[in-house]
Amino acid sequence: MVSTAFISPYKKDRDRVRSIVEEGDMVEIYVKCAIEICEQRDAKGLYQKARAGQIAEFTEFQHPTKSRTTRKSL
Protein backbone atom coordinates (compact mmCIF):
# COMPACT_ATOMS: atom_id res chain seq x y z
CA MET A 1 0.00 0.00 0.00
CA VAL A 2 1.20 3.46 -0.86
CA SER A 3 -0.32 6.60 0.58
CA THR A 4 0.31 10.01 -0.93
CA ALA A 5 -1.17 13.46 -0.46
CA PHE A 6 -1.65 15.93 -3.27
CA ILE A 7 -3.45 19.22 -3.67
CA SER A 8 -5.01 18.88 -7.08
CA PRO A 9 -7.71 21.44 -7.85
CA TYR A 10 -8.18 20.25 -11.44
CA LYS A 11 -10.19 17.16 -12.34
CA LYS A 12 -8.08 16.61 -15.47
CA ASP A 13 -4.98 16.17 -13.29
CA ARG A 14 -6.70 13.69 -10.99
CA ASP A 15 -8.06 11.78 -13.99
CA ARG A 16 -4.57 11.61 -15.53
CA VAL A 17 -3.19 9.97 -12.38
CA ARG A 18 -6.21 7.67 -12.23
CA SER A 19 -5.46 6.53 -15.81
CA ILE A 20 -1.92 5.48 -14.81
CA VAL A 21 -2.88 3.10 -12.01
CA GLU A 22 -4.84 -0.14 -12.25
CA GLU A 23 -8.64 0.12 -12.15
CA GLY A 24 -9.75 0.23 -8.52
CA ASP A 25 -6.26 0.85 -7.12
CA MET A 26 -6.73 4.57 -6.53
CA VAL A 27 -8.88 5.94 -3.77
CA GLU A 28 -9.46 9.68 -3.92
CA ILE A 29 -10.32 11.34 -0.63
CA TYR A 30 -11.57 14.91 -0.71
CA VAL A 31 -11.22 16.85 2.52
CA LYS A 32 -13.05 20.15 2.61
CA CYS A 33 -11.87 22.77 5.06
CA ALA A 34 -12.64 26.48 5.16
CA ILE A 35 -9.69 28.58 4.04
CA GLU A 36 -9.89 30.51 7.33
CA ILE A 37 -9.28 27.30 9.27
CA CYS A 38 -6.37 26.36 6.97
CA GLU A 39 -4.83 29.78 7.62
CA GLN A 40 -5.24 29.38 11.39
CA ARG A 41 -3.50 25.99 11.29
CA ASP A 42 -0.70 27.09 8.94
CA ALA A 43 2.44 26.76 11.07
CA LYS A 44 4.75 27.77 8.17
CA GLY A 45 2.90 30.96 7.27
CA LEU A 46 2.38 29.88 3.65
CA TYR A 47 -1.13 31.31 3.38
CA GLN A 48 0.07 34.68 4.65
CA LYS A 49 2.91 34.64 2.10
CA ALA A 50 0.49 33.67 -0.69
CA ARG A 51 -1.87 36.52 0.26
CA ALA A 52 1.12 38.89 0.10
CA GLY A 53 1.96 37.63 -3.39
CA GLN A 54 5.21 35.99 -2.28
CA ILE A 55 4.15 32.50 -3.44
CA ALA A 56 2.98 32.08 -7.02
CA GLU A 57 0.45 29.44 -8.06
CA PHE A 58 -0.74 28.79 -4.50
CA THR A 59 -3.90 26.67 -4.55
CA GLU A 60 -7.04 28.43 -3.30
CA PHE A 61 -5.70 31.86 -4.24
CA GLN A 62 -4.74 31.54 -7.90
CA HIS A 63 -6.50 28.19 -8.50
CA PRO A 64 -9.56 27.64 -6.32
CA THR A 65 -10.45 23.98 -5.88
CA LYS A 66 -13.70 23.07 -7.56
CA SER A 67 -16.34 21.27 -5.54
CA ARG A 68 -16.20 17.55 -6.10
CA THR A 69 -18.75 14.83 -6.14
CA THR A 70 -17.83 11.71 -4.23
CA ARG A 71 -16.99 8.83 -6.54
CA LYS A 72 -17.16 6.16 -3.89
CA SER A 73 -17.97 6.15 -0.21
CA LEU A 74 -15.69 4.21 2.09
Side-chain angles (χ1 to χ4, degrees), residues 32-43 47:
K32 183 176 181 177
C33 185
I35 195 165
E36 296 82 12
I37 300 298
C38 293
E39 289 178 302
Q40 289 173 9
R41 296 177 179 177
D42 181 19
Y47 283 87

Side-chain angles (χ1 to χ4, degrees), residues 10-74:
Y10 299 115
K11 183 181 183 308
K12 66 179 174 108
D13 294 333
R14 297 188 302 274
D15 287 344
R16 187 184 61 182
V17 172
R18 190 174 281 106
S19 74
I20 295 170
V21 299
E22 293 287 328
E23 179 78 27
D25 282 355
M26 179 177 161
V27 177
E28 178 181 339
I29 300 170
Y30 175 60
V31 178
K32 183 176 181 177
C33 185
I35 195 165
E36 296 82 12
I37 300 298
C38 293
E39 289 178 302
Q40 289 173 9
R41 296 177 179 177
D42 181 19
K44 295 181 180 179
L46 298 177
Y47 283 87
Q48 185 177 7
K49 289 177 182 178
R51 283 197 184 277
Q54 297 172 353
I55 299 176
E57 304 297 316
F58 195 79
T59 301
E60 290 304 327
F61 292 95
Q62 287 82 12
H63 304 286
T65 302
K66 307 294 183 215
S67 294
R68 302 183 193 170
T69 57
T70 303
R71 290 185 178 263
K72 184 178 181 181
S73 295
L74 299 177

